[in-house]
Structures are given as C-alpha cells and as structure tokens.
C-alpha cells in the first residue's frame, strides 16, 4: 500500500514542487487548502493545476484547530509537511498580530492533531533563515543563535521551538528545515526575485517602463525551490529526527540579482530601476549565508541549480509567459 502524505500549503511554491516529487515516489498525496481556494481554483491553485487530478485536497484553516484535527483524523498520514504560513516578511510588519497568531497557532494545531491522532506520523516544519536575522556569525549553521528581525521571523522561531518540544516531550518524529531563500518560476510576485524577473520581462516586451524596489544592498543565499523540497523529504527518511540548514553557501545582493536578470534580456538595469524608500523595511536582515554541511554529511544533499541558472530560469519563464499571453490575446481576436 502506498504511503500517505499530508501537505499544508500544497498550493504554494514549495507545496507544488513537493507534491510532484512525492507523486513520483508513489505517495498518496493529500493537501490542505483554504475553502476560498477550492471555490476559485483558477486564481489560487494555478501552481498545482497540472496535478489536480492526482492529489486530494481538503479545506481547512490554520486558524481553526477543529478543521485541522478533522483532516488529520480522516487522512491518517504517514508523513506531514507543514508548509502553510503567512510567509511575506514585509506584510508581517503591517499586520504583526495576524502573522504571529496564524503562524504560531497553525503550527501548534498541526503538531497537536498529529500527537493525538497519528503519533507515528513523521512531521516536517518549514523553519526559515529569517530566524537568524541579525546573525551572530557567517555562514549560519544549526548552532547559530537566533535574532529574528520581523514578526514573521519571531513566528518561525516559535514554530521551531514548538517542533523541538513535541519531539522531546512527546517523542514525535519532528524535524525542522532551516531553509534559506528558495525561488523558482512559481515564486509569488511579492517576493523580490519574482518582482525583478517579472518586471525585466515586462520591460523587455514594452509592457512596463520602470521597476520600484527597496534596499538593493540586502544580501541573500538564494537557491532553487525544486532542489530544496528533496531535502525536506530526505530529512524524514533518516533514522532519527533532527534539524538541518538547507542553503547554497553563497550570498548575492539584490543588485546582483537585478544585474543578471536585466542582462538576460539585454537591458541596462540602471535605466529602469528606481529605489523607493517606502519599500525599505523597518528592520532589515542585511545578509544571510547558510552552511548546509550537516545535511550534506548526513544524507548527501547539495544544491544542483546555481545562482546564474536560477536567475535565467526565472527570467526566461516570465518572458515565455508574457509571450504566450500575447499570443492568446491575438488568437482570441482572430
Ligand atoms: O524576497 P524577499 O521579500 O524575501 P525575504 O524577506 O528574504 O524572505 C523570504 O525568504 C525567507 C527565507 O529566509 C522565507 F522564510 C520568507 O518566507 C520569504 O520566502 O526580500 C529579500 C530582500 C529583503 O532584504 C528586502 O528588503 O529583498 C529586499 N528588497 C528590496 N526591495 C525587497 C524589495 N523585497 C521585496 N519583497 N520587495 C521589494 O521591492
């Protein structure tokens, strides 16, 4: 009989790649989505459109323990990947209460439901490099102290400790993946990488004149989401639960990302990018760089896609998307 997996946030970037990966491994894939997503699949489920007939979706909310409990009780998963969260750092400054409540309670609800109904189910928590924030050392590893700089980062530190506590207090096979920034053509448009690649494609095609951004000097360790979901699965296949940093070990500035993206479409970025103070954060994480050597040593994980490949993959995907949109409009007119 195939193993059952339950993914919260199945309709997000990571949920979509993870679902594809687990379907290929023969898992029966169940996912949690908000009711509104089921009512409007065109807008909410575009990332998993191509596998909708292969996965089973359940409506539930991170804000409701009974709704999560019911799905866990019904599915009885062998593995659970808890990816759902309010994950946009900037927004967490605007509504810190909802980010903190949803992210911390949501994680607690999923952990508790698993403890009550399927205590043998392996659990993965999507921890984040935002937990390191104003990091005390570089590169950051599993022993680097946390100094979160946003309500989002604080909520992830709490989720990490909850996961650790359920492991230590109740014996759950619970792991945290401290994932550094991971991107792809399925990234949300609010994140800086997608905002840049989307704008570079639009400007190239004459659909847009400028791109407004905040801090261009911030540096991140950017990897490819498709590589990172494999690490999530590998963590849960080990003999004992543990926490792992997943990163590329390289750091690049937002400016470098822009340069490469605009180079890909043959444009000089300086003519189009405008720095807008409004887009600066009240507290910034200036630089992140991860040390993934524990994951590499323990289960042989390392990133496959490098920085340049990632940027060009994203820009080319956005160019292609706009070209197809234009073609669809022309075809509709004919
Ligand atoms: O793309 P970002 O919004 O990602 P951020 O804040 O690093 O967080 C992402 O990665 C985390 C992993 O460490 C996840 F946990 C989290 O959920 C999310 O996926 O911003 C990256 C950098 C920041 O320093 C920001 O100040 O880009 C800078 N930036 C400059 N201009 C901008 C902009 N970010 C955004 N979103 N929009 C701008 O216009």
């Amino acid at each position: 009989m195939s193993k059952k997996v339950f993914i919260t946030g199945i309709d997000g970037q990571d949920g979509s790649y993870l679902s594809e990966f687990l379907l290929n491994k023969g898992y029966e894939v169940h996912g949690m989505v908000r009711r509104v997503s089921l009512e409007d699949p065109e807008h909410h489920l575009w990332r998993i459109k191509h596998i909708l007939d292969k996965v089973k979706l359940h409506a539930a909310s991170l804000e409701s323990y009974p709704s999560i409990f019911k799905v866990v009780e019904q599915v009885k998963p062998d593995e659970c990947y808890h990816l759902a969260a309010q994950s946009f750092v900037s927004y967490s400054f605007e509504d810190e209460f909802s980010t903190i409540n949803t992210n911390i309670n949501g994680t607690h609800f999923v952990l508790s439901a698993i403890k009550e109904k399927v205590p043998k189910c392996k659990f993965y928590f999507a921890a984040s490099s935002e937990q390191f924030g104003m990091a005390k050392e570089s590169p950051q590893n599993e022993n680097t102290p946390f100094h979160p700089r946003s309500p989002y980062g604080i909520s992830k530190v709490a989720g990490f400790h909850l996961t650790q506590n359920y492991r230590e207090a109740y014996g759950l096979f619970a792991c945290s993946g401290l994932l550094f920034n991971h991107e792809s053509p399925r990234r949300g448009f609010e994140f800086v990488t997608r905002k840049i690649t989307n704008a570079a494609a639009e400007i190239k095609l004459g659909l847009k004149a400028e791109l407004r951004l905040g801090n261009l000097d911030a540096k991140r360790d950017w990897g490819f989401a498709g590589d990172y979901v494999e690490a999530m699965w590998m963590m849960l296949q080990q003999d004992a639960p543990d926490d792992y940093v997943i990163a590329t070990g390289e750091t690049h500035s937002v400016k470098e990302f822009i340069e490469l993206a605009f180079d890909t479409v043959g444009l000089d970025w300086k003519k189009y990018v405008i720095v807008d103070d409004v887009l600066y954060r009240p507290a910034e994480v200036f630089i992140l760089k991860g040390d993934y050597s524990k994951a590499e040593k323990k289960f042989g994980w390392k990133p496959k896609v490098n920085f340049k490949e990632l940027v060009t993959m994203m820009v080319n995907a956005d160019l292609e998307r706009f070209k197809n949109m234009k073609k669809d409009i022309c075809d509709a007119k004919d």
Side-chain angles (χ1 to χ4, degrees), residues 87-89 128-130 152 179-181 187 190-193 195 212-215 218 220 254 279 281 284-285 288:
S87 65
F88 185 32
V89 175
S128 162
S129 56
E130 279 294 301
Y152 168 82
L179 267 53
F180 282 61
N181 297 50
R187 190 56 148 147
E190 66 274 38
F191 298 97
V192 78
T193 53
K195 191 171 166 183
R212 302 186 91 83
L213 292 167
N215 183 7
R220 289 291 184 277
V254 172
L279 296 167
R281 294 178 180 177
E284 175 67 284
V285 171
L288 289 172

Side-chain angles (χ1 to χ4, degrees), residues 56-308:
K56 173 96 179 71
L57 300 182
H58 305 263
S61 159
L62 283 186
E63 278 140 33
S64 153
Y65 181 61
S67 72
I68 292 173
F69 186 88
K70 227 185 273 170
V71 181
V72 169
E73 184 176 43
Q74 195 189 331
V75 175
K76 294 197 178 52
D78 300 288
E79 291 176 17
C80 170
Y81 296 83
H82 176 43
L83 312 180
Q86 192 302 98
S87 65
F88 185 32
V89 175
S90 280
Y91 179 69
S92 80
F93 288 108
E94 282 164 39
D95 191 349
E96 65 272 39
F97 290 96
S98 83
T99 300
I100 285 184
N101 287 339
T102 308
N103 289 1
I104 300 179
N105 289 340
T107 303
H108 198 182
F109 294 161
V110 178
L111 278 164
S112 175
I114 284 174
K115 170 173 87 81
E116 292 304 320
K117 298 313 300 181
V118 274
K120 292 212 166 5
C121 171
K122 293 181 174 180
F123 176 83
Y124 171 87
F125 172 61
S128 162
S129 56
E130 279 294 301
Q131 292 170 219
F132 298 118
M134 189 79 97
K136 312 270 183 300
E137 60 187 10
S138 184
Q140 294 84 50
N141 64 35
E142 293 77 4
N143 300 315
T144 303
F146 298 141
H147 182 154
R149 295 269 287 169
S150 63
Y152 168 82
I154 293 166
S155 75
K156 286 289 173 178
V157 170
F160 177 89
H161 287 307
L162 273 167
T163 303
Q164 200 171 43
N165 188 247
Y166 269 72
R167 177 163 81 213
E168 292 171 0
Y170 307 114
L172 244 58
F173 192 111
C175 303
S176 284
L178 286 150
L179 267 53
F180 282 61
N181 297 50
H182 44 290
E183 320 292 313
S184 75
R186 297 183 196 169
R187 190 56 148 147
F189 293 91
E190 66 274 38
F191 298 97
V192 78
T193 53
R194 190 70 196 280
K195 191 171 166 183
I196 295 167
T197 61
N198 191 56
E202 279 185 295
I203 293 170
K204 176 70 183 175
L205 298 173
L207 302 169
K208 190 183 169 101
E210 61 174 44
L211 166 62
R212 302 186 91 83
L213 292 167
N215 183 7
L216 306 190
D217 296 320
K219 290 182 150 189
R220 289 291 184 277
D221 180 330
W222 278 297
F224 172 52
D227 289 346
Y228 286 34
V229 299
E230 292 194 30
M232 297 175 186
W233 175 78
M234 285 168 152
M235 280 175 216
L236 296 198
Q237 312 315 309
Q238 302 311 301
D239 292 338
D242 207 343
D243 308 317
Y244 298 91
V245 160
I246 300 299
T248 70
E250 278 183 32
T251 189
H252 296 275
S253 65
V254 172
K255 201 182 285 169
E256 282 174 77
F257 195 104
I258 301 169
E259 268 169 9
L260 209 45
F262 278 73
D263 273 358
T264 308
V265 293
L267 294 175
D268 175 4
W269 69 275
K270 292 195 190 83
K271 292 188 183 152
Y272 306 98
V273 173
I274 294 167
V275 173
D276 188 339
D277 290 349
V278 171
L279 296 167
Y280 272 66
R281 294 178 180 177
E284 175 67 284
V285 171
F286 296 105
I287 175 165
L288 289 172
K289 179 177 166 180
D291 169 5
Y292 64 88
S293 55
K294 180 175 168 184
E296 185 175 24
K297 227 175 274 160
K298 197 71 203 283
F299 44 82
W301 182 87
K302 52 180 173 189
K304 293 180 197 136
V305 176
N306 70 29
F307 181 65
K308 189 165 187 228

